[in-house]
Amino acid sequence: MTFETVTWKNGKVMVLDQKLLPGKTFYHAFDKSEDVAMSIETMIVRGAPAIGVTAALGLALAAHELKSHPLDEAQLLFLKACERFANTRPTAVNLFWAIAKLKNLSQKYFETTVDWCEALYQEAIRIHREDIEICKSLGQHGAPLMPENGNVLTHCNAGALATAGHGTALGVIRSAIAQQKKLHVFADETRPFLQGSRLTAWELLQDNIPVTLITDNMAGHFMAKGEIQAVIVGADRIAANGDTANKIGTYSVAVLANAHDIPFYVAAPLSTIDIQCSNGTQIPIEERKLDEVFEFAGQQIAPKGVHAKNPAFDVTPAKFITAIITEKGVLKAPYEDSIRQVFNSEGAINVR
Ligand code: MRU
């Protein structure tokens, strides 16, 4: 990998600015936790696992800022920082999973503020490191599902840029290619934020993975012509019944795949599964500002005064999902059962 999405370096959180890609590769060196929260809110960093990891590192920074306070006061103030991070974006549950991990740890007994701060830092570093390992093992589980030779369509960016490294959906593709499979990625442009064209195409080119960019409305055309052998996407939150929230437009792709008998895979770590949501209707969907719809690359493309809507995610019903690929294996329908089973054997992973 030629880039790092987010890292901790010399007491600072280094964040690759994804809003500037593909034109410019620029890293922010944040030394204030508020700036890290802002980077999630404004989508300088985005993608469900990446925002979980970034929040963890941002909270380690928040603890560092509270180091001179008496321990009980620091622990109390830390809760405010947790709340701030929880208010950045509502849909990706990995964010709340990471916050809950640090919050629970913070409330444990420590001798001194220094010990408390060090424990939170170590936990954040562990979350960062484990995210890469999880993506790699998810890739190993998913690779056998990929065709030996063919075109795989993806929507949005579920790659190294959306995680601490390797990626979920793109991680499966990377692992399959490492196993000598001959894959070619069709990347949906992903209006309105263009994660497909700006980020997926960029990231795959960095790794010399063959990629063809298409606009969102072309997917059906290529499926009908028999040019797509599989679809693989990431997820922002998966309900206990397998209903999956992912980038707006994913649902349409899933319906199209179903109509053309093309397997539709979701690749996500277990931290993306929210067993407290029994089905997709309970997943909060972020509404973003309308400028993203009215404008394209800063240019107004709609008449002034027209109404618009901008939900950032949609929910793909479980019935359209061929399999959910996790770091612990491939889950199949009925998802209520397979998800419950993996949670029972792994213990209470979802600490939200
Ligand atoms: O709004 P974004 O760019 O944060 O949305 C990202 C997605 O929808 C991804 O597909 C999802 O987070 C999975 S990333 C491994």
Side-chain angles (χ1 to χ4, degrees):
M1 201 72 57
T2 51
F3 61 88
E4 285 192 291
T5 308
V6 56
T7 46
W8 180 281
K9 202 170 171 191
N10 303 328
K12 295 188 173 121
V13 181
M14 310 293 293
V15 179
L16 175 60
D17 193 326
Q18 300 193 26
K19 285 171 96 172
L20 299 178
L21 289 173
K24 199 169 165 188
T25 310
F26 174 79
Y27 284 87
H28 296 271
F30 293 125
D31 58 3
K32 293 191 183 61
S33 62
E34 172 52 31
D35 291 341
V36 180
M38 176 277 303
S39 74
I40 297 172
E41 202 163 56
T42 59
M43 291 177 69
I44 285 172
V45 58
R46 33 63 54 202
I51 65 178
V53 169
T54 306
L57 296 175
L59 283 170
L61 205 54
H64 188 76
E65 286 161 2
L66 296 167
K67 225 171 167 175
S68 58
H69 290 254
L71 181 57
D72 52 349
E73 204 177 291
Q75 283 170 316
L76 210 65
L77 289 168
F78 187 74
L79 293 178
K80 277 197 184 307
C82 291
E83 212 177 295
R84 168 68 184 110
F85 276 90
N87 285 324
T88 51
R89 295 193 71 193
T91 303
V93 77
N94 312 59
L95 174 71
F96 304 97
W97 172 88
I99 295 169
K101 286 229 162 213
L102 283 148
K103 194 158 134 185
N104 289 349
L105 176 62
S106 165
Q107 282 156 351
K108 296 217 158 107
Y109 172 78
F110 292 95
E111 290 271 335
T112 65
T113 316
V114 173
D115 293 348
W116 167 81
C117 185
E118 178 62 18
L120 289 170
Y121 165 74
Q122 291 298 342
E123 177 71 353
I125 295 297
R126 197 178 60 78
I127 289 174
H128 178 273
R129 192 187 55 241
E130 278 186 8
D131 189 64
I132 304 174
E133 288 160 13
I134 284 169
C135 286
K136 288 193 173 156
S137 84
L138 194 153
Q140 291 303 315
H141 285 296
L145 300 174
M146 294 291 102
E148 283 306 318
N149 195 325
N151 298 332
V152 180
L153 184 135
T154 192
H155 190 74
C156 193
N157 172 268
L161 286 169
T163 60
H166 197 67
T168 55
L170 297 190
V172 170
I173 289 170
R174 278 194 173 91
S175 299
I177 289 176
Q179 293 175 11
Q180 309 308 323
K181 292 199 170 183
K182 306 240 171 310
L183 301 184
H184 187 114
V185 178
F186 272 54
D188 276 351
E189 167 188 54
T190 319
R191 270 282 286 157
F193 209 72
L194 305 177
Q195 288 94 331
S197 58
R198 293 191 305 101
L199 307 177
T200 296
W202 179 81
E203 151 169 2
L204 292 177
L205 286 177
Q206 302 294 304
D207 269 5
N208 292 319
I209 295 176
V211 55
T212 295
L213 179 64
I214 59 171
T215 62
D216 298 335
N217 47 359
M218 294 177 187
H221 170 77
F222 288 109
M223 286 183 185
K225 285 177 66 179
E227 291 190 28
I228 306 294
Q229 280 65 53
V231 177
I232 187 160
V233 297
D236 288 86
R237 196 183 294 220
I238 301 173
N241 72 343
D243 290 352
T244 294
N246 191 47
K247 182 50 54 193
I248 192 76
T250 303
Y251 173 37
S252 319
V253 176
V255 173
L256 279 170
N258 183 264
H260 292 91
D261 262 330
I262 296 168
F264 179 94
Y265 300 111
V266 170
L270 293 177
S271 56
T272 305
I273 300 178
D274 184 355
I275 43 166
Q276 287 163 37
C277 280
S278 56
N279 62 61
T281 62
Q282 291 167 18
I283 300 177
I285 301 293
E286 177 180 7
E287 290 284 339
R288 296 189 52 81
K289 55 183 180 31
L290 301 182
D291 290 356
E292 290 175 359
V293 177
F294 293 140
E295 293 174 4
F296 189 87
Q299 284 280 93
Q300 178 83 16
I301 51 162
K304 294 256 183 240
V306 71
H307 288 291
K309 284 197 178 286
N310 191 14
F313 303 96
D314 59 25
V315 175
T316 298
K319 66 178 177 191
F320 293 128
I321 301 171
T322 312
I324 299 174
I325 303 158
T326 76
E327 71 273 29
K328 295 292 171 193
V330 175
L331 310 182
K332 290 267 176 74
Y335 292 108
E336 282 92 347
D337 296 346
S338 52
I339 287 176
R340 195 180 327 109
Q341 257 169 34
V342 74
F343 267 76
N344 286 345
S345 61
E346 290 305 312
I349 300 161
N350 198 335
V351 291
R352 184 168 68 92

